[in-house]
Amino acid sequence: SSSSVPATAASRDKLRKEHFHQKKKHPGLPKFHELLGYQFATLIAHSLDELAEENPMRQFLRICVETARDVWARELKDSSGQECGTPIISSLLSGHVDADRIDFVHRDSYFSGLFRCSVDSRRLFDLYEAGRDQKRGWLARPSPRSASDAGKLLIERYQLYKYIVAHPRVHLFDELLERCMLVLLKEGRLDPFLDALTQLLHMDISAGHSSKEEWKKQRLRRKLLHIDDSWIDVQVRDRYADFDTGDGPSAAYFEAFLESRGRLRGVFKWDQDFDKWWEGDVSGWFRSQVKAAYPRSTRDEANQLFLRFRWDLPQFLAKGRYALEKHLVKNVLGGEGALVIGITAKKVQAHIKDAEEAKFFGLRTVNEYLARLTEETAVFNLWFEPDNSHKADSKVLLAAVLDWLGTHVLPVFLKSKPLEVNSTMR
């Protein structure tokens, strides 16, 4: 039962500390999953020792794996320990028009059934050239002769994010799984997973070849291979079986995820639905709030702030959406039922953020087009359980969202965006 599982934060604290330590050790890998990938590649390379010692492929395979790892991580060093500087090769593996993006656009478009990728990847890579970037030195980039394929890659990548990743049903599935995972983390049910990740980050995989060290590496590799999607699914289903009727929003998240996601209704189905609410209710509310804070402000200044507010809102929601969910469940749903907020805008940022980089790759025009499309995406979506007992509907929930934004977000936003700097706004 759930009472037999210790709710502990010890595993999470250990993982945070080890992550912080490894970030300082590998400054070129700021993202958590990149650090894990680096360590896991190292583990694979040193697991090749299980091959017979006289096998001539052993050392060759290790060199291949470690070199690919270091090039991707930009940590390739020469004999003196100095960084060799391999931006050209690294940019082929990790860049805006790289092998990874070409691979997943081809794969995901095909298996999703959305479209067949039209990018001629062989022609694209055959016509790659070296170009000098003022900030990062020499990088690989598509030739002007292959600009059409490079542009199609960006557009089709945007379509994948827009119509698959950010599709309301797919987005809801992701958000429900995240809520289930948070419950499992809080209750300590994912501690074996967190402990394995901590051990992976902490272990000096390349040190020593004693039987004890080799046994530890083998055991860690088996553990990591065992903790996969199926293992997570078992944990979710096992916890769902322990819920009793009326266990509140947590039970509703698990039930909606495993039994019927159709029980939750989305407030916005299309971007047009969000825009209608945004340009109607939100714009009037926002201008009245600005007028109250800055009585001498002009309409043009308020409009500039409003545009900036839409651009900045995903950042505020990323920090406070769980608090907003609790507020809505408590004050609108009466403490019962499931309610989920997903930041749609975060899932559709598929263009190149730096305009100079887009120009360097010869994709400025396509990138400007995608940037406009991205900015027109709905900022967030909200799913809830319609229930006549608490009379919750879309209008009531959205009115409560505005009240919460007015209390928790707008004062911080207005303080950080005084009218005097409006001329520098996006």
Side-chain angles (χ1 to χ4, degrees):
S1 67
S2 59
S3 61
S4 64
V5 180
T8 173
S11 295
R12 281 171 278 163
D13 291 339
K14 289 180 181 178
L15 185 57
R16 288 193 192 99
K17 291 178 181 178
E18 193 58 43
H19 179 215
F20 178 76
H21 172 72
Q22 292 295 334
K23 279 175 64 177
K24 293 197 297 182
K25 186 177 178 181
H26 301 283
L29 298 171
K31 297 180 180 178
F32 181 59
H33 72 275
E34 292 178 340
L35 280 171
L36 291 175
Y38 184 90
Q39 284 292 92
F40 193 63
T42 306
L43 179 63
I44 292 174
H46 287 267
S47 296
L48 296 171
D49 289 336
E50 296 175 6
L51 294 173
E53 186 173 348
E54 64 276 7
N55 191 322
M57 290 296 294
R58 186 179 68 172
Q59 188 65 17
F60 174 73
L61 289 173
R62 174 186 284 187
I63 292 173
C64 288
V65 173
E66 290 185 334
T67 302
R69 174 204 67 184
D70 292 341
V71 166
W72 162 72
R74 297 178 176 86
E75 294 202 353
L76 194 63
K77 296 177 173 59
D78 58 25
S79 58
S80 65
Q82 297 295 318
E83 291 189 10
C84 297
T86 58
I88 292 179
I89 302 175
S90 297
S91 60
L92 290 172
L93 301 177
S94 179
H96 291 293
V97 185
D98 59 15
D100 175 57
R101 285 170 171 78
I102 291 173
D103 174 63
F104 85 71
V105 170
H106 273 276
R107 182 185 64 248
D108 292 358
S109 63
Y110 175 77
F111 284 105
S112 67
L114 180 63
F115 58 83
R116 290 292 295 269
C117 181
S118 62
V119 178
D120 188 343
S121 54
R122 177 173 294 182
R123 178 173 181 270
L124 185 60
F125 271 131
D126 283 346
L127 294 176
Y128 254 56
E129 65 180 19
R132 186 169 182 81
D133 181 77
Q134 293 181 350
K135 298 178 182 178
R136 295 166 296 163
W138 288 95
L139 300 175
R141 67 181 179 186
S143 163
R145 289 186 293 165
S146 62
S148 59
D149 282 301
K152 282 191 290 186
L153 179 68
L154 256 65
I155 292 172
E156 292 182 1
R157 181 165 68 103
Y158 166 82
Q159 290 178 322
L160 274 177
Y161 281 111
K162 177 68 176 179
Y163 300 112
I164 297 297
V165 177
H167 185 280
R169 281 293 159 193
V170 178
H171 190 180
L172 174 59
F173 182 88
D174 291 342
E175 296 295 338
L176 285 172
L177 178 59
E178 183 174 316
R179 301 311 181 280
C180 294
M181 294 286 284
L182 288 173
V183 172
L184 297 178
L185 280 169
K186 183 178 180 181
E187 296 179 348
R189 289 174 177 261
L190 298 183
D191 281 359
F193 176 57
L194 300 183
D195 292 340
L197 297 184
T198 303
Q199 188 180 354
L200 177 64
L201 288 176
H202 178 74
M203 180 178 287
D204 185 2
I205 298 169
S206 61
H209 295 283
S210 66
S211 58
K212 183 178 180 181
E213 292 296 329
E214 291 302 319
W215 178 78
K216 285 184 178 180
K217 286 190 288 186
Q218 292 177 26
R219 184 181 180 190
L220 175 59
R221 191 175 72 253
R222 287 197 301 269
K223 186 185 295 185
L224 290 169
L225 292 174
H226 173 70
I227 301 176
D228 55 8
D229 291 350
S230 299
W231 184 84
I232 294 293
D233 186 59
V234 168
Q235 305 307 310
V236 172
R237 292 179 182 278
D238 184 56
R239 181 64 186 95
Y240 176 55
D242 286 344
F243 277 115
D244 295 322
T245 304
D247 270 353
S250 293
Y253 293 140
F254 280 78
E255 184 174 351
F257 178 74
L258 292 171
E259 300 285 357
S260 175
R261 287 187 288 280
R263 69 182 289 179
L264 297 180
R265 189 177 77 193
V267 171
F268 307 114
K269 186 174 183 180
W270 312 107
D271 289 341
Q272 294 91 324
D273 300 331
F274 180 87
D275 289 337
K276 183 178 180 181
W277 173 69
W278 186 263
E279 297 298 333
D281 296 351
V282 182
S283 62
W285 164 82
F286 184 86
R287 290 187 178 93
S288 64
Q289 296 288 323
V290 171
K291 199 66 178 178
Y294 300 104
R296 302 176 69 177
S297 62
T298 66
R299 185 175 183 85
D300 287 342
E301 289 173 331
N303 288 339
Q304 290 182 46
L305 278 176
F306 188 50
L307 292 174
R308 186 69 203 192
F309 184 63
R310 177 163 180 158
W311 182 256
D312 288 355
L313 185 55
Q315 312 302 326
F316 287 106
L317 288 177
K319 299 177 182 178
R321 61 175 167 153
Y322 295 127
L324 175 55
E325 286 180 4
K326 291 180 180 178
H327 171 78
L328 295 176
V329 169
K330 178 181 178 181
N331 296 284
V332 180
L333 303 185
E336 299 179 357
L339 183 145
V340 175
I341 294 175
I343 310 173
T344 311
K346 283 281 189 179
K347 289 182 168 284
V348 194
Q349 295 185 7
H351 62 285
I352 301 174
K353 306 301 186 298
D354 191 322
E356 288 301 316
E357 283 193 54
K359 182 179 179 181
F360 171 78
F361 284 101
L363 299 169
R364 182 178 60 181
T365 303
V366 172
N367 194 63
E368 289 175 353
Y369 167 69
L370 293 177
R372 288 196 297 271
L373 290 180
T374 302
E375 291 174 4
E376 294 170 2
T377 298
V379 176
F380 69 91
N381 207 340
L382 187 155
W383 297 269
F384 69 103
E385 293 182 281
D387 188 340
N388 293 329
S389 64
H390 47 61
K391 298 181 180 179
D393 59 22
S394 299
K395 291 184 178 180
V396 173
L397 286 168
L398 290 176
V401 168
L402 285 185
D403 288 341
W404 187 87
L405 292 177
T407 303
H408 297 86
V409 173
L410 194 60
V412 180
F413 170 80
L414 292 178
K415 186 176 180 180
S416 65
K417 299 291 186 297
L419 291 177
E420 289 75 16
V421 300
N422 280 356
S423 60
T424 65
M425 288 184 183
R426 181 184 175 87

